[in-house]
Amino acid sequence: MAARESFYIATPIFYVNDVPHIGHAYTEVAADVLARWHRQAGDDTWLLTGTDEHGQKILRTAVANDTTPKAWADRLVADAWQPLLKTINISNDDFIRTTDERHEYAVTVFLQKLYDDGFIYSGEYEGYYCVGCEEYKQLDDLMELPSGDYAGRLLCKIHSIPVEVLKEKNYFFRMSDFQQRLLDLYESQPDFIQPESVRNEIIQFVRAGLDDLSISRSSFDWGIKIPWDDSHVLYVWFDALLNYITAVGYGTDQENFERRWPAVQLVGKDIARFHAVIWPAMLMAAGLPVPRKVFGHGWLLVGGEKMSKSKLTGIAPSEITETFGADAFRYYFMRAISFGQDGSFSWEDLSARYQAELANGFGNLASRVIAMVSRYRDGVIPDPGAFTEADEAIRVTERRATADADAAIERLAIHEALAAIWILVDELNGYITIQEPWALAKDPANAERLDTVLFTVVRGLGTLAVLLAPVIPDAAAKLWAAIGGAGDVTEQDVRAAYDWLGAPTVTALESSLFPRIEQVEPASA
Ligand code: MSP
């Protein structure tokens, strides 16, 4: 038997200075859908997520809240970040915190190696620093506003807050040494950075020349101590990026590390540079493989702006799931936004898609089919008679939807996978309208034809349950159970979803998969 292919996927680790909003949840859901798909395809899958807890931003938040950074992080992780995973049904295999001992230890192993191998030296740095980004900025990254509280000051374009001038003795990572090797990587592995827009931007950035990177701070101490100089703590990004390898055994469990690494990395496009420039340079310096790919997804926009807590446009994921449920949350963001591009969120669009696609298109199809098998065949799924062209056409669509969705997932085009699957939803609905099982049921002479029609639509639902389980796991599991699917739907090979041949009986659904929602906007909206 061939060895199972390894599929390791990681989300960025989230800053614990604040609670999650739907922008964070978006990255989580995308990674989770890909992980569930690969798990269901039998790949040796690992989904990692976690929290980024060191650095000035967290320290300042803790101080402002009269607590220590660790106590603050513990609280946010327990009260906000771990619960987020439940709210949107994330199937992560691990959750790493940069304050975990396993992480802190392995980071020092990595640092010491780079130091011993001559990739780190000490020097002095002066520059503009944005605490929001935790990054030194070039003038190009800054702006001035003509009016308002910050008029005349230099502001970070991303956070719209003033930058600070920092001057420090620092340790530096020889990143400039890696300019050519990085350009060669982008050239020889054209899908290393996706999508194309992000790739082009990164290539341009690296071509313009790379500076060495300041990787330590001595003005505060909330971080991992530099192993050979404990008056400095490690720069938070250098610390955070290492989570992707420390979590799978770098420095502690070599066998597991080799089994998992390298990973596919999903990140927002705002942090693609860290992942596609600094991170591979760090790995190259340590002689380790670079990520399989870095995919920079777009932003969720609210009112035309990147949604963010600091700009007060943040929407908590639970505001949506309390009304629509986790499945609808997951489906909506994966379907409505082309993965890789920005997308605007609106309550109107969400509720329109919920109603048209989930409640009417899919949910209703499931209820009607199950009700017809119960009514006309006492819940027993009939054996089919001879297949007509219309029945064969459904078979073809099942195969095509399966193959197209899998190919789309391979390209990380999650929205295209859903579009491919939805062709089957629409065709099954159209098939029922044309075949009119309710009319066939009136005349016993049509019994065999009715058997074939019912068999065909139940089999179509089986295919849908298998294909949709990675996206809407709760509804898919309910549907699978209702149509008598054997075992757990998540055990069904997603790449052979069309192979499902039917089960003996159906059981009525206790409630609609996607019940009608009368009031679509929560009171707070
Ligand atoms: N801690 C760093 C990442 C370190 S990874 C080694 C960080 N954290 S974050 O909490 O600010 O952001 C985490 C992710 O959420 C990023 O990928 C970011 O792009 C994403 N998003 C934050 N706001 C978003 C939107 N409005 N829309 C889509 N994604 C958004 O950066």
Side-chain angles (χ1 to χ4, degrees):
M1 210 177 104
R4 293 200 306 152
E5 201 165 312
S6 166
F7 182 78
Y8 171 26
I9 182 159
T11 71
I13 50 172
F14 299 89
Y15 287 130
V16 290
N17 63 312
D18 212 338
V19 296
H21 59 56
I22 59 176
H24 306 123
Y26 178 63
T27 318
E28 290 282 1
V29 169
D32 187 61
V33 168
L34 296 171
R36 284 177 186 263
W37 189 280
H38 280 269
R39 244 182 244 127
Q40 233 179 285
D43 295 336
D44 185 19
T45 304
W46 195 254
L47 170 60
L48 174 71
T49 190
T51 44
D52 188 352
E53 306 185 6
H54 291 128
Q56 221 162 334
K57 180 158 44 189
I58 312 300
L59 177 61
R60 285 189 188 176
T61 308
V63 169
N65 285 278
D66 282 331
T67 182
T68 65
K70 182 60 168 56
W72 175 263
D74 286 347
R75 205 175 95 203
L76 267 276
V77 168
D79 295 353
W81 291 93
Q82 295 271 23
L84 167 72
L85 305 176
K86 286 221 161 50
T87 303
I88 51 175
N89 211 348
I90 301 300
S91 64
N92 56 305
D93 297 288
D94 192 4
F95 187 97
I96 185 146
R97 302 179 53 179
T98 52
T99 51
D100 284 349
E101 213 209 299
R102 56 174 173 160
H103 174 76
E104 297 194 346
Y105 167 75
V107 166
T108 61
V109 171
F110 184 93
L111 277 181
Q112 191 66 52
K113 172 160 175 54
L114 258 53
Y115 189 61
D116 293 346
D117 293 346
F119 289 108
I120 294 175
Y121 63 92
S122 84
E124 183 143 304
Y125 195 86
E126 178 166 15
Y128 298 110
Y129 195 81
C130 171
V131 175
C133 294
E134 292 279 19
E135 187 185 20
Y136 277 109
K137 295 284 171 182
Q138 303 300 320
L139 275 175
D140 280 359
D141 303 322
L142 306 176
M143 61 175 182
E144 280 186 65
L145 295 178
S147 58
D149 288 353
Y150 298 141
R153 297 178 65 182
L154 282 172
L155 310 180
C156 165
K157 278 186 189 163
I158 294 176
H159 288 90
S160 308
I161 55 168
V163 289
E164 303 174 16
V165 177
L166 286 190
K167 183 174 180 180
E168 288 186 291
K169 168 184 175 257
N170 287 159
Y171 289 99
F172 285 81
F173 167 53
R174 294 190 190 281
M175 196 158 73
S176 58
D177 285 6
F178 294 91
Q179 179 183 11
Q180 196 51 48
R181 280 185 67 187
L182 287 168
L183 290 170
D184 293 345
L185 166 69
Y186 308 149
E187 188 74 24
S188 64
Q189 231 175 282
D191 64 351
F192 175 72
I193 310 172
Q194 287 178 311
E196 204 54 26
S197 52
V198 177
R199 176 171 187 263
N200 292 337
E201 190 203 306
I202 301 268
I203 291 180
Q204 225 179 346
F205 173 79
V206 175
R207 275 205 190 122
L210 289 180
D211 292 328
D212 287 345
L213 180 73
S214 151
I215 60 157
S216 72
R217 302 285 180 265
S218 54
S219 52
F220 61 92
D221 68 355
W222 178 234
I224 299 178
K225 289 202 177 351
I226 299 290
W228 58 89
D229 178 352
D230 66 8
S231 65
H232 284 247
V233 293
L234 182 60
Y235 169 46
V236 61
W237 268 101
F238 219 77
D239 163 356
L241 287 163
L242 287 166
N243 91 86
Y244 304 122
I245 59 172
T246 63
V248 291
Y250 171 82
T252 53
D253 181 349
Q254 184 64 16
E255 194 184 326
N256 195 54
F257 177 58
E258 282 171 16
R259 171 175 174 191
R260 300 289 175 206
W261 185 255
V264 169
Q265 308 215 218
L266 294 192
V267 300
K269 63 182 180 182
D270 49 327
I271 57 170
R273 259 192 218 176
F274 295 95
H275 286 83
V277 182
I278 302 178
W279 180 220
M282 288 164 66
L283 290 162
M284 285 170 179
L288 298 172
V290 299
R292 277 224 279 183
K293 74 174 56 167
V294 174
F295 188 97
H297 67 67
W299 287 341
L300 294 192
L301 309 174
V302 172
E305 269 202 60
K306 180 186 180 213
M307 192 197 45
S308 80
K309 269 278 174 193
S310 53
K311 289 183 180 167
L312 297 178
T313 48
I315 298 171
S318 56
E319 284 182 57
I320 294 177
T321 56
E322 275 161 17
T323 308
F324 292 91
D327 278 351
F329 184 102
R330 297 166 59 95
Y331 172 81
Y332 172 72
F333 286 107
M334 293 301 103
R335 177 76 202 257
I337 300 170
S338 298
F339 198 56
Q341 287 169 25
D342 291 349
S344 292
F345 169 77
S346 79
W347 289 98
E348 292 76 14
D349 190 32
L350 166 63
S351 68
R353 279 188 184 268
Y354 179 91
Q355 207 50 48
E357 293 162 22
L358 291 176
N360 295 341
F362 175 63
N364 230 354
L365 170 68
S367 311
R368 286 166 79 201
V369 169
I370 291 166
M372 286 191 285
V373 177
S374 306
R375 190 170 326 134
Y376 305 139
R377 292 293 180 264
D378 285 333
V380 177
I381 300 167
D383 287 334
F387 290 119
T388 65
E389 220 171 283
D391 314 331
E392 296 292 359
I394 294 292
R395 194 80 189 120
V396 170
T397 303
E398 284 172 356
R399 285 178 174 274
R400 190 174 301 143
T402 304
D404 289 355
D406 190 49
I409 292 287
E410 218 34 61
R411 296 192 303 277
L412 306 191
I414 304 173
H415 56 292
E416 286 178 22
L418 275 169
I421 297 167
W422 234 256
I423 292 177
L424 180 57
V425 173
D426 293 339
E427 285 199 13
L428 285 170
N429 275 315
Y431 174 86
I432 293 176
T433 308
I434 291 172
Q435 301 303 322
E436 298 188 307
W438 49 90
L440 294 173
K442 286 189 183 136
D443 183 350
N446 293 326
E448 186 184 321
R449 182 65 202 142
L450 180 59
D451 283 350
T452 311
V453 169
L454 292 177
F455 172 85
T456 299
V457 286
V458 174
R459 196 195 54 214
L461 283 184
T463 304
L464 284 176
V466 175
L467 290 175
L468 288 171
V471 185
I472 48 173
D474 289 343
K478 273 192 214 156
L479 174 58
W480 184 251
I483 58 175
D488 198 317
V489 66
T490 58
E491 286 156 13
Q492 311 306 311
D493 181 357
V494 76
R495 291 183 183 134
Y498 56 82
D499 253 359
W500 190 65
L501 291 177
T505 52
V506 300
T507 328
L509 282 164
E510 272 171 30
S511 57
S512 308
L513 295 177
F514 294 97
R516 182 171 286 281
I517 288 166
E518 297 308 336
Q519 193 208 333
V520 293
E521 291 192 30
S524 64

